[in-house]
Amino acid sequence: MSNEMVFVPWNQNISLEGVRKNYDGWATSYDREYAELGYIAPRCCAETLAETFTGPDRRQIRILDVAAGTGLAGEELQKVGFTDMDAVDCSQKMLDEAKVKNIYGRLICDFVGPEQLDIENDAYDAIACCGGFATGHLKDDCFPELIRVVKPGGIICIIMREEFLHTLEAYKDKLEPAMARLEQEGLWERVSRDVFPDFYPNKAGVRFVFRVL
């Protein structure tokens, strides 16, 4: 990362404010650094939703980009025909960068967790969440809120680094069991789970797709 003095150490005990501070300081160089890294997850997310919504007019599909950052996933979604998108992220400076791209309607600055967002029930046809599950980021307590804002029959696509399921205490033996409990409770059903190479170079990703019930 450039400008390292801005950043709080990325460890498993980082606070939400530490996460916000890091992204505020990273916002202006974020796109360039991820382009240099060869980050393919936003494109994978867009391709997944494109494969799900195969109708003739994707402009009618309303999507919430969760942990949207500067809008990397939103840009990829726009390329495949989605145009009705809102974004939520904890960093206003990241959202400021996204705003310049003119790909979102609402830009909501908030942490996504168990507390209710300023969004109505059943507001979206789909959620795209690309890279939102990482050190100090979203936890399983946000799942009910994600489900709340998606229409019955809608899709939630979550893409993250596969190793985090096993290396981060917040996720190890917690994240996938929480997903399974919500399925047992009849709130969503898992459509697919697959591991793919090069989320980052030499780092596998995992993609979860759920349908809200």
Side-chain angles (χ1 to χ4, degrees):
M1 295 179 188
S2 61
N3 215 11
E4 289 184 357
M5 292 302 292
V6 173
F7 293 90
V8 176
W10 285 107
N11 61 59
Q12 297 194 37
N13 296 315
I14 189 171
S15 68
L16 293 177
E17 286 304 318
V19 171
R20 189 205 301 271
K21 180 179 179 180
N22 281 358
Y23 281 113
D24 280 352
W26 196 1
T28 56
S29 63
Y30 186 88
D31 284 11
R32 174 179 54 79
E33 292 182 22
Y34 268 91
E36 292 172 355
L37 187 61
Y39 182 48
I40 69 165
R43 187 173 74 249
C44 289
C45 189
E47 289 172 352
T48 300
L49 290 184
E51 290 167 4
T52 301
F53 296 99
T54 56
D57 193 354
R58 293 185 182 136
R59 292 174 298 177
Q60 297 179 4
I61 303 301
R62 193 171 185 217
I63 297 174
L64 179 65
D65 188 352
V66 171
T70 61
L72 293 180
E75 288 181 288
E76 296 296 330
L77 287 161
Q78 188 179 62
K79 287 176 185 177
V80 296
F82 297 105
T83 60
D84 190 356
M85 295 181 285
D86 295 335
V88 58
D89 195 89
C90 71
S91 166
Q92 185 58 56
K93 291 188 181 298
M94 295 286 275
L95 290 175
D96 289 344
E97 296 295 318
K99 183 177 181 179
V100 174
K101 299 175 181 178
N102 197 31
I103 53 180
Y104 298 112
R106 290 187 69 197
L107 294 160
I108 304 164
C109 187
D110 204 349
F111 290 104
V112 181
E115 300 301 320
Q116 186 164 318
L117 297 165
D118 182 23
I119 299 172
E120 296 179 356
N121 294 350
D122 306 334
Y124 295 96
D125 299 292
I127 278 176
C129 182
C130 181
F133 287 84
T135 306
H137 288 48
L138 305 182
K139 297 181 174 60
D140 62 89
D141 61 5
C142 78
F143 291 150
E145 184 63 3
L146 300 187
I147 292 168
R148 181 186 70 79
V149 303
V150 174
K151 301 172 185 176
I155 295 295
I156 297 175
C157 176
I158 296 169
I159 294 181
M160 60 183 288
R161 245 165 78 176
E162 192 271 340
E163 68 178 346
F164 285 163
L165 293 172
H166 318 292
T167 60
L168 297 186
E169 287 301 317
Y171 302 153
K172 184 180 179 182
D173 301 323
K174 296 174 184 174
L175 199 68
E176 290 195 90
M179 292 173 173
R181 282 196 301 274
L182 292 167
E183 188 164 16
Q184 291 164 5
E185 293 169 8
L187 297 177
W188 65 11
E189 63 179 359
R190 195 174 80 184
V191 176
S192 62
R193 177 198 189 277
D194 66 288
V195 176
F196 61 93
D198 296 330
F199 174 92
Y200 299 131
N202 303 313
K203 296 290 184 182
V206 59
R207 171 173 39 200
F208 298 95
V209 179
F210 293 93
R211 180 174 288 106
V212 173
L213 300 176

